[in-house]
Structure formats: C-alpha cells, structure tokens
Amino acid sequence: METNGVPLTPEQARAALADTDRVRASATALAATPWPTWFFITLTLYVAVLPVTVGGIVADPDWLLPRPAWMAVMLAATALYAALLAVASKSWRERTGVALRLDVLPRRATVPLAVGLPLLLVGGPYAFHATGRAAWLIVSSLIGAAVSVGFHLTFVRLHRRSA
C-alpha cells in the first residue's frame, strides 16, 4: 500500500485495514438497524390483512363483501403498502446513508421466511375456501403478524449485538 507515493509501514497498513473493517462493521450495523417503527407496524398490519382479503377473493359465494370489493381492498392495501415502503426506504436512506435491508439477517431465518410466509398467507385462504371455516384466515393472520414481529425483534437484537 502507498500513501502519496510513499509506501506504508506494516503497522500503518494494518491500521488502515482495521479502519476499513470498522467502517464495514459500522455500515452493516446501521443496515441492520430496525426499520422505522411506523413502517414495522404498517408491514405487520399488511401481513395480517392479506389472508382475509385473499380469503374474500377465493370464497365460493360472496363472503361479507362482493368479490370485486375484495379485489379493490387487496389492490388498495398493496398500493398503500408499496407507497409506504418507498417512503420508508427513501427517508431511511437519506437519514442513514444505507438502504433498508433483509440480507443482513442469517439465511437460516430468511430462507424459511421467503418460503413459509407466502405459503402461510395463501394457504390459510385456500384452506378457508376448501372448508368454509374462517378460523383458517384468523390463524393465518395471527401467525403472519407474529412472524413480522419476530423479524422486527430479530433486527433489534442483531442491531444491539453489532452496535
């Protein structure tokens, strides 16, 4: 390594590498900071509402609302969630300089989430469709909300450990 054309001593090179490692660790810790509380609540509510709206869409006869109304609720909720995600990401990036990230979590947690949550959020409504029991929707909503809270707490714990 050189600085201004002058070779660094081994001690200076080690110090520069240590600084690089500290900056990298700091950026990772900041990226692992829990998402803003208002967005965590928005995400949890969205996950809790999703099974009920999908259940209304797949119900044989109109269930509580006509099917087009369920579709409108689903589209409106998804559009609102996407808009709030964009706002949260932009404000977080402006405030911290890093993006909201899931990739700092361990793969042993994110892979089951990526596979299990969609199955849960769609499986409950299809079980409702097959059985006619709304309990499937309630259980799917509660488990989905619990998973959202669990991931938020995982972010909090990861941040505390790396801070």
Side-chain angles (χ1 to χ4, degrees):
M1 296 179 102
E2 291 185 10
T3 300
N4 297 330
V6 178
L8 295 176
T9 66
E11 293 79 24
Q12 290 172 320
R14 278 192 283 280
L17 288 174
D19 282 344
T20 302
D21 289 340
R22 277 194 295 275
V23 168
R24 186 175 292 128
S26 175
T28 299
L30 190 56
T33 300
W35 293 4
T37 302
W38 68 267
F39 182 71
F40 153 67
I41 292 168
T42 300
L43 176 61
T44 301
L45 289 174
Y46 179 71
V47 167
V49 166
L50 203 61
V52 176
T53 57
V54 173
I57 292 168
V58 301
D60 278 333
D62 287 342
W63 176 70
L64 302 177
L65 295 172
R67 185 170 285 146
W70 283 115
M71 287 295 293
V73 168
M74 176 72 150
L75 292 173
T78 302
L80 179 63
Y81 169 75
L84 291 174
L85 173 61
V87 168
S89 296
K90 184 177 184 278
S91 66
W92 189 255
R93 202 171 25 257
E94 287 171 356
R95 193 163 58 113
T96 64
V98 295
L100 292 171
R101 296 173 45 188
L102 278 175
D103 66 331
V104 295
L105 293 174
R107 286 203 194 302
R108 70 180 186 279
T110 54
V111 170
L113 175 74
V115 173
L117 194 58
L119 289 174
L120 172 73
L121 297 178
V122 174
Y126 278 98
F128 164 67
H129 175 70
T131 66
R133 294 179 174 235
W136 287 105
L137 303 176
I138 295 166
V139 168
S140 292
S141 290
L142 292 174
I143 293 172
V147 167
S148 177
V149 169
F151 262 75
H152 179 72
L153 295 176
T154 300
F155 264 97
V156 169
R157 190 178 75 235
L158 181 63
H159 176 68
R160 284 186 187 145
R161 193 174 349 141
S162 62

